Amino acid sequence: MRVLITGGSGFVGQRLCRRLKEAGHRPLVVSREPDQVRDRLPEECDIRRSVLDFVDTPPDAIVNLAGEPIAARRWSDDQKERLIDSRVNITRDLVTLCEQLHSSQGRTPRVMVSASAMGYYGDQGDREVTEETPPHDEFAHRLCKRWEEAALPARDFDVRVALLRIGLVLDLGGGSLEKMLPPFKLGLGGRFGDGKQFMPWIHREDLVRAILFLLERDDLEGPFNGSAPHPVTNAEFTRTLAKQLGRPAIFPVPAIVLETAFGEMSRLLLTGADMRPARLLEAGFEFQFETLDAALADILG
Ligand SMILES: NC(=O)c1ccc[n+]([C@@H]2O[C@H](COP(=O)([O-])OP(=O)(O)OC[C@H]3O[C@@H](n4cnc5c(N)ncnc54)[C@H](OP(=O)(O)O)[C@@H]3O)[C@@H](O)[C@H]2O)c1
């Protein structure tokens, strides 16, 4: 099967391309810099600059991962616009591709798995959160809502759309863990604020398996929480990571320090949701890494 992947050069996309190739599929990757990302991806990947460049190579399935990194810089008005536009515009291009293939060939991709994030729910305190939980209105929610709404019109062209609300993706070589490891290894780690905020997480390997699961299962559509069944609070995350590294974690970072340093973006560190993958579990998806201890042991071991 030909699978078109936006953001295929990223932390999740690279692993997905590798797993797709191993399973005998052909990854088609959209990247702003095809020449620069070529050596990060399997040789068999067809890499082109824009979604519509693939109109002559119709994909059987789509995975939509592209977007400006959420924590790259402070959320100024310009940066908020960049965070939204970098996701919504490429998602709209994917819908346009589906529309063009539908009208010119009568044959569209069977499915689009489109990324979203735990931020969809906004701050939920300690309430257990499933796909049914009403969101809290804040910037992260509005960003994810617009991203999801941009993907849904693909359904008008007979494309099954699954929205994956992804938790913190854990592995070496990128993501949040890479940023956390240096201070924790030096024994300078600590919880953020009071540490009670939830941090839904997922091992990168399980996230890629969940994407493949959603690509394959023709009966699954709509939103799916993409995080392990046992989320932890920030304090538990801190303790577990420190224990795995054999280091103390005794330097809490007060909320006011994070708020001063990062402004509104500090909400990523100080708020969260006890997000559960209710619909993935209901559909029979089996996580390889259900607990944070097991995931970190695999990653750091
Ligand atoms: N990693 C996590 O913990 C996590 C958690 C929740 C949700 N997510 C979401 O899941 C998706 C994949 O995550 P990831 O960690 O693999 O992301 P990533 O490593 O930051 O990669 C995303 C890709 O998006 C493209 N991109 C970056 N900035 C862009 C911009 N301004 N305009 C257009 N394209 C841009 C880049 O591809 P090119 O440079 O090749 O164009 C990049 O490789 C992201 O959308 C992210 O928001 C991730």
Side-chain angles (χ1 to χ4, degrees):
M1 156 166 105
R2 278 200 294 247
V3 185
L4 177 65
I5 305 141
T6 73
S9 63
F11 178 52
V12 176
Q14 286 176 50
R15 179 63 58 87
L16 174 66
C17 287
R18 191 166 6 129
R19 293 287 174 257
L20 282 168
K21 193 214 104 184
E22 286 166 1
H25 302 301
R26 176 100 199 273
L28 312 176
V29 169
V30 179
S31 169
R32 293 163 301 166
E33 302 286 351
D35 293 337
Q36 283 182 25
V37 305
R38 203 166 292 280
D39 59 356
R40 288 187 227 162
L41 292 166
E43 236 177 86
E44 297 76 5
C45 284
D46 183 348
I47 312 172
R48 303 186 194 175
R49 204 171 291 276
S50 94
V51 166
L52 295 170
D53 289 344
F54 283 101
V55 78
D56 65 350
T57 318
D60 303 295
I62 295 173
V63 181
N64 182 28
L65 298 171
E68 167 88 5
I70 191 82
R73 58 188 75 178
R74 278 173 80 104
W75 290 352
S76 62
D77 287 348
D78 280 355
Q79 182 61 6
K80 283 181 175 176
E81 220 171 287
R82 202 170 298 130
L83 288 167
I84 294 172
D85 290 350
S86 64
R87 288 172 169 78
V88 168
N89 293 346
I90 203 161
T91 308
R92 284 194 187 133
D93 285 351
L94 289 169
V95 174
T96 304
L97 176 70
C98 294
E99 184 181 11
Q100 289 190 4
L101 293 174
H102 191 261
S103 62
S104 66
Q105 312 194 4
R107 179 172 165 259
T108 47
R110 278 191 301 113
V111 51
M112 168 152 77
V113 176
S114 196
S116 178
M118 55 193 165
Y120 176 86
Y121 299 103
D123 183 18
Q124 294 282 344
D126 56 8
R127 180 177 318 127
E128 201 173 297
V129 170
T130 71
E131 291 84 354
E132 306 279 304
T133 305
H136 177 253
D137 186 28
E138 55 186 277
F139 173 68
H141 165 66
R142 291 192 288 273
L143 167 65
C144 292
K145 184 164 181 274
R146 289 191 53 188
W147 196 7
E148 294 187 3
E149 282 173 353
L152 289 174
R155 294 181 303 187
D156 298 343
F157 309 107
D158 305 326
V159 180
R160 174 171 62 87
V161 176
L163 305 163
L164 194 51
R165 296 175 180 160
I166 302 172
L168 208 61
V169 185
L170 301 181
D171 207 345
L172 298 179
S176 308
L177 192 60
E178 187 164 79
K179 293 187 189 125
M180 285 182 219
L181 278 176
F184 272 82
K185 282 183 174 166
L186 292 170
L188 298 173
R191 61 165 205 264
F192 296 140
D194 64 12
K196 290 182 182 161
Q197 65 280 27
F198 272 88
M199 289 173 67
W201 59 272
I202 185 165
H203 191 304
R204 179 165 59 158
E205 202 58 51
D206 270 340
L207 177 60
V208 166
R209 292 176 58 251
I211 294 171
L212 298 175
F213 182 81
L214 291 171
L215 287 179
E216 279 160 17
R217 282 278 300 266
D218 285 337
D219 55 326
L220 300 179
E221 60 181 333
F224 292 86
N225 291 343
S227 57
H230 300 289
V232 292
T233 61
N234 172 262
E236 284 170 79
F237 191 98
T238 302
R239 268 197 306 275
T240 310
L241 179 57
K243 190 185 79 187
Q244 293 272 351
L245 292 168
R247 291 281 187 277
I250 49 176
F251 293 101
V253 188
I256 186 74
V257 172
L258 295 168
E259 282 158 5
T260 309
F262 300 120
E264 189 181 351
M265 198 176 78
S266 64
R267 293 186 66 78
L268 289 178
L269 305 173
L270 293 170
T271 67
D274 180 1
M275 183 169 89
R276 309 292 173 115
R279 292 198 66 215
L280 276 178
L281 291 175
E282 205 178 274
F285 180 73
E286 290 180 13
F287 286 82
Q288 259 171 16
F289 302 97
E290 292 200 355
T291 65
L292 183 62
D293 246 330
L296 288 178
D298 177 71
I299 292 167
L300 302 170

